[in-house]
Amino acid sequence: MNLFQGNIDRFGGITVHTEKWNLSDSEFQNRLEASLSEWQVNGNRGIWFNVPLHQAGYVPILSKNGFTFHHAKPSYVMMIKWLPKNEPNLLPSYPHTYIGVAGLVVNERNQILVIQEKYHTRPHWKLPGGYADPGEEFGDTARREVLEETGIDTEFVSIVTLRHHHKHLFECSDLYVVCEMKPLSREISVCKHEISHCQWMDIETYKNHPEVSEMNQFVIQAYLDQQICRASVQVHDVLSFNRDCYQKIYCIKSTESVSGS
Amino acid sequence: MNLFQGNIDRFGGITVHTEKWNLSDSEFQNRLEASLSEWQVNGNRGIWFNVPLHQAGYVPILSKNGFTFHHAKPSYVMMIKWLPKNEPNLLPSYPHTYIGVAGLVVNERNQILVIQEKYHTRPHWKLPGGYADPGEEFGDTARREVLEETGIDTEFVSIVTLRHHHKHLFECSDLYVVCEMKPLSREISVCKHEISHCQWMDIETYKNHPEVSEMNQFVIQAYLDQQICRASVQVHDVLSFNRDCYQKIYCIKSTESVSGS
């Protein structure tokens, strides 16, 4: 009897990519049963099946054989079965936190770049921003979103605030990161699909504007306070644990020497 | 012909929970085709199908009718189809960032609480911590993990560092948040399943220890630097946009008045 071959991990788990075979549903069913028996005898633990969209017929077969869903991306669903009978399931779950990033773009006249969205529940002036794409660093998301929405090019200066919110879309959490961004251009060119208004506004006007959320008023105050502290949350490179790449790390640094230079 | 009924959202989308009906595969197929025709005529946009594990037989039918996977949780898979032919798919994607939190627990003798894990790729002294549970705030994750791993109860003081890392498990990103925690107890009681060693270590000894990662050396230096800055990243409550709850927001505050009190 042929068995499924998969990638073995250091926790005794096996990951099978069903795409490697072209089996009828009954062939799949038979090979699955034989493989599960073998893995049980061998003491394997977490069994992972990566099923691409075009083989979705295997999903009900896996479900009937005790697999549950783990996560899905547009092109595949990952299903898992934990084999040990006397050990708790220690398999890692999937992320549940959205990362949104906004740019607090402050020009040399102490004006900030603010927008109104085309689709909203109530009119308000907000900071340009949006969700991070996979693999994107905070400053890169802020730069991309500010450029897409307002036409202004910017560069990352520091993190001003982090807001953590729960019970968001699909019962996930949401981390909203406001980055101070330095404008590198001046002429606004608005994204017509998403934005109804965009302008530079005096920071004091914005802070006291009736159509600004309590949260954004807080963000502005935090920005003003950190000027007084002469400290900001800056980015650095740090060697990864495996020493094979550099990673971004954010922490407080004094800005006194910067402002003096 | 009966049609599927679903929840309508403000973007013209419909979410169908298939659990509400008990249909054979062919009944499901017929009702799906009739519903899609109707929704197309009505100008509906994103069509979402929430399919529980025990109805996994509907998954291949949805796939054949042009649905792709959106996300999955252990008990269900969400599939989507974007109906407008001349409009880009604007449906939000699912989170792709893990949140890990560690506790930098510093006692009154300037010692920190450090552990060695039972399962590791190379021996090293690290900070107690782990992944955030759904809906959990940073300080709550740090407190829970420190307590589980070391038996020490703690309370949140501030965020020391944020490390952002990409290409993690399942090609997701990973945000590792180190929180300064104040110990509320003293006696170590180690989790035997996960931890091989746990002790209080002088902060200077830790910083120069050969079995400490470059990243954790950086974290310690950041902690020492913020004492000199007399500022830290503290937590506050801010009213949500819909004014129906308070959310946590983190920003720099001066610690001068605190240390003087």
Side-chain angles (χ1 to χ4, degrees):
Chain A
M1 183 74 204
N2 281 327
L3 301 178
F4 285 118
Q5 305 298 320
N7 305 327
I8 296 166
D9 62 46
R10 67 189 166 101
F11 306 104
I14 295 183
T15 302
V16 174
H17 287 79
T18 63
E19 194 153 39
K20 289 185 186 165
W21 297 272
N22 189 6
L23 304 177
S24 71
D25 286 359
S26 63
E27 287 167 336
F28 182 87
Q29 162 78 30
N30 292 337
R31 191 174 293 196
L32 178 63
E33 285 174 9
S35 303
L36 284 172
S37 302
E38 176 77 8
W39 293 328
Q40 192 87 56
V41 171
N42 289 351
N44 285 111
R45 302 164 89 226
I47 308 297
W48 304 76
F49 266 72
N50 178 311
V51 183
L53 190 62
H54 70 272
Q55 294 186 322
Y58 300 158
V59 172
I61 302 170
L62 288 160
S63 162
K64 282 186 198 116
N65 281 275
F67 281 74
T68 58
F69 298 120
H70 183 269
H71 71 275
K73 296 191 184 184
S75 63
Y76 76 86
V77 62
M78 184 75 90
M79 299 185 72
I80 50 170
K81 181 170 183 165
W82 179 248
L83 293 187
K85 296 216 157 46
N86 303 314
E87 243 187 291
N89 176 345
L90 297 175
L91 300 177
S93 62
Y94 197 73
H96 46 74
T97 304
Y98 280 98
I99 305 291
V101 186
L104 178 63
V105 186
V106 190
N107 70 15
E108 72 289 355
R109 293 197 283 169
N110 239 10
Q111 296 173 316
I112 62 174
L113 187 62
V114 294
I115 58 162
Q116 288 205 16
E117 287 176 335
K118 229 167 140 175
Y119 305 99
H120 53 66
T121 47
R122 68 171 195 264
H124 67 294
W125 288 101
K126 57 176 282 189
L127 307 176
Y131 286 127
D133 283 340
E136 210 172 36
E137 203 49 50
F138 299 139
D140 297 332
T141 308
R143 185 183 173 202
R144 177 179 55 73
E145 288 283 350
V146 170
L147 190 62
E148 282 173 13
E149 293 183 354
T150 72
I152 301 289
D153 195 15
T154 56
E155 69 182 10
F156 177 83
V157 179
S158 69
I159 293 178
V160 181
T161 53
L162 293 174
R163 191 222 43 201
H164 206 182
H165 155 54
H166 306 290
K167 304 274 169 196
H168 191 67
L169 220 51
F170 311 116
E171 293 290 294
C172 290
S173 297
D174 182 79
L175 193 63
Y176 177 75
V177 183
V178 177
C179 299
E180 181 187 349
M181 302 295 285
K182 183 182 163 187
L184 303 176
S185 66
R186 191 181 293 251
E187 283 307 314
I188 290 170
S189 161
V190 162
C191 169
K192 301 262 185 283
H193 295 295
E194 290 185 73
I195 309 298
S196 65
H197 299 86
C198 176
Q199 66 168 81
W200 293 100
M201 190 183 282
D202 283 338
I203 199 160
E204 285 296 330
T205 307
Y206 184 79
K207 209 184 92 182
N208 299 307
H209 199 293
E211 287 178 346
V212 169
S213 67
E214 284 82 356
M215 208 258 293
N216 278 340
Q217 288 172 351
F218 186 99
V219 169
I220 298 300
Q221 191 57 52
Y223 168 75
L224 297 172
D225 287 351
Q226 77 173 35
Q227 314 289 101
I228 297 165
C229 274
R230 294 175 181 276
S232 69
V233 176
Q234 296 167 36
V235 68
H236 306 267
D237 289 309
V238 66
L239 205 55
S240 72
F241 181 70
N242 293 327
R243 298 187 177 125
D244 54 357
C245 65
Y246 280 87
Q247 300 174 343
K248 299 293 177 192
I249 190 163
Y250 299 81
C251 65
I252 292 184
K253 288 286 171 185
S254 165
T255 51
E256 291 203 80
S257 57
V258 176
S259 62
S261 68
Chain B
M1 183 77 206
N2 280 327
L3 300 179
F4 285 118
Q5 306 298 320
N7 305 327
I8 296 166
D9 62 47
R10 66 188 165 102
F11 306 103
I14 296 183
T15 302
V16 174
H17 287 79
T18 63
E19 195 154 38
K20 289 186 185 163
W21 298 271
N22 190 5
L23 304 178
S24 70
D25 286 358
S26 65
E27 287 168 339
F28 182 86
Q29 161 79 32
N30 292 337
R31 191 175 294 197
L32 178 63
E33 284 174 11
S35 302
L36 283 172
S37 302
E38 176 78 7
W39 293 329
Q40 192 85 58
V41 171
N42 288 352
N44 286 110
R45 301 165 91 225
I47 308 299
W48 304 75
F49 266 73
N50 178 313
V51 182
L53 190 62
H54 70 272
Q55 293 185 323
Y58 301 158
V59 173
I61 302 170
L62 288 161
S63 162
K64 281 185 201 119
N65 280 274
F67 282 74
T68 58
F69 297 120
H70 184 270
H71 71 276
K73 296 191 184 184
S75 63
Y76 75 88
V77 60
M78 184 76 90
M79 298 184 73
I80 50 170
K81 182 169 183 167
W82 178 249
L83 293 187
K85 294 215 159 47
N86 302 315
E87 241 187 291
N89 175 345
L90 298 176
L91 301 176
S93 61
Y94 197 73
H96 46 75
T97 305
Y98 280 98
I99 306 291
V101 187
L104 178 63
V105 186
V106 190
N107 71 15
E108 72 289 354
R109 293 196 284 169
N110 239 11
Q111 295 172 315
I112 63 174
L113 187 62
V114 295
I115 59 162
Q116 288 205 15
E117 286 177 335
K118 228 167 142 178
Y119 304 100
H120 53 66
T121 46
R122 67 171 196 262
H124 68 292
W125 288 100
K126 55 176 284 188
L127 307 176
Y131 286 127
D133 283 341
E136 209 172 38
E137 202 51 48
F138 299 138
D140 297 332
T141 308
R143 184 181 175 206
R144 178 178 55 72
E145 288 283 349
V146 170
L147 191 62
E148 284 172 13
E149 293 183 353
T150 73
I152 301 289
D153 195 15
T154 56
E155 71 182 9
F156 176 84
V157 180
S158 69
I159 292 178
V160 182
T161 52
L162 293 174
R163 190 222 45 200
H164 206 181
H165 155 54
H166 307 289
K167 303 274 169 195
H168 191 68
L169 221 51
F170 310 117
E171 294 291 294
C172 290
S173 298
D174 182 78
L175 194 63
Y176 177 75
V177 184
V178 176
C179 299
E180 181 187 350
M181 303 294 288
K182 182 182 165 188
L184 303 175
S185 64
R186 192 181 293 251
E187 284 305 314
I188 289 171
S189 161
V190 163
C191 168
K192 300 263 186 282
H193 295 293
E194 289 185 75
I195 309 298
S196 65
H197 299 86
C198 176
Q199 65 168 81
W200 293 101
M201 190 183 282
D202 282 339
I203 199 161
E204 285 296 330
T205 307
Y206 184 80
K207 210 184 92 183
N208 300 306
H209 198 294
E211 287 178 346
V212 169
S213 68
E214 284 82 356
M215 207 257 293
N216 278 341
Q217 288 171 353
F218 186 100
V219 169
I220 298 301
Q221 191 58 51
Y223 169 76
L224 297 172
D225 287 351
Q226 79 173 33
Q227 315 289 100
I228 296 166
C229 273
R230 294 175 182 277
S232 68
V233 176
Q234 295 167 36
V235 68
H236 306 266
D237 289 309
V238 65
L239 205 54
S240 72
F241 181 71
N242 293 328
R243 298 187 176 124
D244 54 357
C245 64
Y246 281 87
Q247 302 174 341
K248 298 293 178 193
I249 190 164
Y250 299 83
C251 65
I252 292 184
K253 287 286 170 186
S254 166
T255 52
E256 291 202 79
S257 56
V258 176
S259 62
S261 69

